[in-house]
Amino acid sequence: GVGLGGAYPLTAAVAGGSDRVGQAFFWQTPGLVAPYVVALILVDLVPGATGTQFRWILGLGALPSVVALLASLQGPEDSVRGSGDSLIEGFRQALSCRQLQRRLIGTAGSWFLFDVAAYGTVVFTPHILSVFGREQSLLQLILLSILLLSFSIPATWLSVVALPILGAKKLNLYGFVLQAALFAAFASSYSILNESRKVLLTLLCAIYFGLNWGVCVSTYVLPIEVFPEEFRGTLHGVSAASGKLGALVGAALFPFLNAAAGVPAVMGLQAIVCGFGACLSY
């Protein structure tokens, strides 16, 4: 949160145009799948030693951080423009602009709503997977996780392809509409098709595809397009922080909602959240 949380918006701000930012963001999705692939290898190499497997996965997580650190150290250093006081005063003046306020509400609000749905789904997925057998082995959980997350790779790639055609704002809107439809379909089908595991798994794969098509990329790119260069990193950071607040809300809320009303209520609320996101994007 302190280190990468700050690097997240700054890397977008210095990457250049929205197309380049989208292409750079694509690599997040293979990174999401990688830990499970490593886990799959470790289950075979170190069978039964769950503690050792966990330590290897945790330790190997340092490798991409080292690569990113070395690459950043080799890059050119940005020149500092203006004093801290002048930058703060300019930032205040910028936020007093009504048009900029509306843009910040749009970027931060849509990122908040998206992360409510996205992180809530990721945290809630193990409960949904229990329909495929309550006594799943570690290997089965790894394989199911790889299957679900693998849909994020083509979805994000298609988002990057669609970005220069549709633009970030339309991509945001269409992505929220798709997510709302998929969550609504899962909510309405869960009670009826509770025993039809193949159908529910297909719908869950479609949800993971929808979460990574459109909004996943556009929320990251949109602040680059709508904010002036001198405040781009800061306002991108405010938008990203709003998203992490949404992640906290989704992760904390949905287990309680599930205990009170069940899976259909959770997925129905997800559909409503994405519907609000579509309205805000419009």
Side-chain angles (χ1 to χ4, degrees), residues 86-103:
S86 64
L87 289 174
I88 293 173
E89 181 60 29
F91 182 61
R92 289 175 179 171
Q93 292 178 4
L95 285 183
S96 66
C97 174
R98 186 175 297 273
Q99 184 183 35
L100 202 58
Q101 291 173 358
R102 288 171 57 89
R103 291 177 179 178

Side-chain angles (χ1 to χ4, degrees), residues 5 49 149 173 199-200 208 239:
L149 289 170
L173 172 62
V199 175
L200 290 178
Y208 268 80
S239 302

